[in-house]
Amino acid sequence: GINIGALSKVKRSKRINTGYNYTKKKNKGRHKWFDTECISTKRGLIKLEKKYVQAPNDVDLRFEYYLKRKEYKKLIKGKKYNYFQTSTISSTTTTYRGMA
């Protein structure tokens, strides 16, 4: 039969030898409107969420978490709206210039 332990060692050794770093894979450039302000706000929200999960009965923490979450959602919505507004305006002006 096939030795499963030896097979898993081979798979692990191949993965290590490829040189590809699985831990540092990030979605850079996925959304162009998602900037450093969004990233820092999201990190703060995640930190608060971890505290809130550990102490779900803390009323002040719950209030702070939901306030931060509302702020984050508003920020994301605004960034996305502004990005698409400016990209739509620039694309329409280039279209008119091309026709003229």
Side-chain angles (χ1 to χ4, degrees):
I2 299 173
N3 188 354
I4 295 173
L7 202 101
S8 65
K9 284 180 184 177
V10 170
K11 282 185 179 179
R12 269 191 244 125
S13 66
K14 277 189 176 182
R15 191 167 126 192
I16 291 168
N17 291 336
T18 59
Y20 185 79
N21 193 348
Y22 289 93
T23 58
K24 290 195 175 185
K25 184 178 178 184
K26 292 186 179 182
N27 281 334
K28 286 191 175 183
R30 184 172 178 168
H31 297 294
K32 297 193 186 237
W33 49 266
F34 200 86
D35 61 359
T36 54
E37 187 182 3
C38 299
I39 292 169
S40 64
T41 308
K42 186 175 183 179
R43 283 184 184 155
L45 180 66
I46 289 170
K47 285 180 184 178
L48 264 177
E49 185 178 13
K50 286 179 182 177
K51 289 179 185 177
Y52 178 57
V53 167
Q54 289 175 355
N57 296 328
D58 188 355
V59 179
D60 295 331
L61 192 62
R62 182 184 333 162
F63 179 75
E64 189 180 352
Y65 168 70
Y66 282 111
L67 196 68
K68 186 80 168 180
R69 189 175 125 183
K70 189 175 183 179
E71 175 191 325
Y72 173 69
K73 294 282 187 181
K74 194 173 185 179
L75 176 73
I76 294 298
K77 194 173 182 179
K79 292 279 184 178
K80 199 183 296 188
Y81 178 78
N82 288 338
Y83 175 76
F84 286 112
Q85 282 293 104
T86 55
S87 65
T88 307
I89 291 169
S90 64
S91 66
T92 56
T93 54
T94 54
T95 308
Y96 291 131
R97 285 183 195 153
M99 293 174 74

